[in-house]
Amino acid sequence: MENASQTSSVAEFVLLGLSAHPKLEKTFFLLILLMYLVILLGNGVLILVTVTVSCLHTPMYFFLGNLSFLDICYTTSSVPLILDSFLTPRKTIPFSACAVQMFLSFAMGATECLLLGMMAFDRYVAICNPLRYPVVMSKAAYVPMAASSWAAGSAASIVQTCLAMRLPFCGNNIINHFTCEILAVLKLACADISINVISMGVTNVIFLAVPVLFIFVSYIFILTTILKIPSAEGRRKAFSTCSAHLTVVVVFYGTILFMYGKPKSKDPLGADKQDLSDKLISLFYGVVTPMLNPIIYSLRNKDVKAAVRTLVIQKRFTQ
């Protein structure tokens, strides 16, 4: 009962964001808004072509369509809140809305890790076992693979969100972040969070370490197979089918490692600067990666570029 009363005493959270740097808010509002519009346009076009163009009805482009939809959901769960905070003096979010935003962002992030692993498996089968590809990656296989990624990501997010929001918050409701990022919220709890830390550690192993290891091993086999192809043109064509996915993986996981792997400053002045840089890196991570995904896949994929041209031509003839 005591914990319940303490928890209910916090009806809303205050998001600090860039409150200490008001001059930056208007600039970042325009920049983030522009990037968000590019995300909606780029990923929306990718979803459209993967659904409407019949030659893209393959496992790889099915996963790509899921990835694009996920990127739209991920950014929409946080970017509107961030944009509003840049224009609003009092940057608050209700307790329930904070829980929803935390659930959505965590679910999308976990699901993307699994989807990237599924896409690596698709490329492995396509290059290392091309004759068995239609059987292994049939519709009866790749649709449940994508669905299980969404289900597992959502289930993990429900667990983490419930564990975080059941904690007592004894009046301290100031989140030093742009959104209800789960680690920033856990810092406000006035109770033992060891269960949360253990649970987060297990989740990170399942949704970060295991997919990374799986992708790494898959690409070892892929590269080994490609190097065995006798002709240079054959090697180039084989590598081009997985280069876009590999680029997205490097950008996605590279940014995560940079965010959480760099050392913390012990100097108070340096800590303030690092706090600002950490928040900005986190902010751009949430919008840059979803913005780059459609650009990478459209620039490095002839099928996608041809499909976009086909849609444009069809639209002209129908007008």
Side-chain angles (χ1 to χ4, degrees):
M1 289 297 291
E2 183 181 353
N3 279 357
S5 64
Q6 286 177 317
T7 305
S8 61
S9 66
V10 176
E12 63 181 15
F13 290 102
V14 177
L15 302 170
L16 283 185
L18 291 176
S19 299
H21 308 274
K23 293 181 180 179
L24 295 176
E25 291 186 321
K26 298 296 186 293
T27 302
F28 278 102
F29 173 84
L30 295 174
L31 184 59
I32 300 302
L33 176 61
L34 178 61
M35 296 172 74
Y36 181 53
L37 294 176
V38 172
I39 290 168
L40 295 180
L41 177 62
N43 286 287
V45 169
L46 270 183
I47 293 172
L48 182 63
V49 297
T50 56
V51 170
T52 59
V53 179
S54 58
C55 67
L56 298 185
H57 291 173
T58 63
M60 181 175 72
Y61 295 110
F62 177 77
F63 288 126
L64 179 57
N66 274 262
L67 187 64
S68 294
F69 179 69
L70 184 149
D71 284 337
I72 290 176
C73 293
Y74 178 75
T75 51
T76 302
S77 71
S78 59
V79 171
L81 176 65
I82 294 171
L83 293 175
D84 180 68
S85 71
F86 286 150
L87 301 178
T88 308
R90 178 71 174 171
K91 311 171 194 301
T92 59
I93 181 172
F95 188 89
S96 57
C98 183
V100 171
Q101 194 272 319
M102 182 189 299
F103 162 76
L104 289 174
S105 60
F106 195 98
M108 297 304 105
T111 302
E112 182 159 2
C113 292
L114 296 181
L115 277 178
L116 290 174
M118 300 293 183
M119 295 172 78
F121 178 74
D122 172 75
R123 293 299 84 206
Y124 162 76
V125 178
I127 294 175
C128 299
N129 297 283
L131 296 180
R132 297 195 61 206
Y133 183 77
V135 177
V136 176
M137 294 303 296
S138 64
K139 190 172 184 178
Y142 67 76
V143 171
M145 287 169 65
S148 64
S149 298
W150 285 92
S154 299
S157 184
I158 289 174
V159 171
Q160 297 303 323
T161 302
C162 290
L163 286 176
M165 303 314 281
R166 72 170 180 79
L167 293 169
F169 300 96
C170 312
N172 184 11
N173 66 337
I174 300 176
I175 300 176
N176 188 22
H177 210 277
F178 294 102
T179 61
C180 290
E181 200 265 341
I182 189 166
L183 296 179
V185 173
L186 289 178
K187 292 179 180 179
L188 305 182
C190 53
D192 181 26
I193 60 170
S194 57
I195 294 178
N196 301 76
V197 172
I198 294 172
S199 178
M200 283 287 292
V202 173
T203 302
N204 286 339
V205 169
I206 295 173
F207 288 90
L208 280 175
V210 172
V212 167
L213 180 62
F214 182 79
I215 292 169
F216 179 74
V217 173
S218 297
Y219 271 99
I220 289 178
F221 285 107
I222 289 172
L223 291 175
T224 302
T225 303
I226 290 176
L227 292 175
K228 291 179 181 178
I229 299 175
S231 67
E233 181 66 17
R235 290 194 296 269
R236 187 190 65 79
K237 287 183 178 180
F239 185 75
S240 67
T241 63
C242 58
S243 60
H245 173 258
L246 185 59
T247 304
V248 169
V249 167
V250 170
V251 171
F252 181 76
Y253 286 106
T255 310
I256 291 177
L257 290 175
F258 179 76
M259 283 173 56
Y260 296 106
K262 57 190 179 67
K264 303 295 182 182
S265 174
K266 296 181 179 180
D267 176 63
L269 183 59
D272 290 338
K273 292 181 179 179
Q274 185 173 35
D275 178 62
L276 175 61
S277 67
D278 287 346
K279 286 195 281 189
L280 292 179
I281 291 170
S282 175
L283 173 63
F284 280 102
Y285 164 75
V287 291
V288 170
T289 304
M291 184 182 71
L292 288 179
N293 286 351
I295 295 174
I296 292 170
Y297 273 100
S298 60
L299 288 179
R300 303 183 66 88
N301 194 298
K302 294 180 180 179
D303 293 336
V304 172
K305 287 189 283 188
V308 172
R309 284 196 296 267
T310 301
L311 280 182
V312 172
I313 293 172
Q314 289 177 348
K315 187 175 182 180
R316 287 179 180 175
F317 276 112
T318 55
Q319 286 179 345

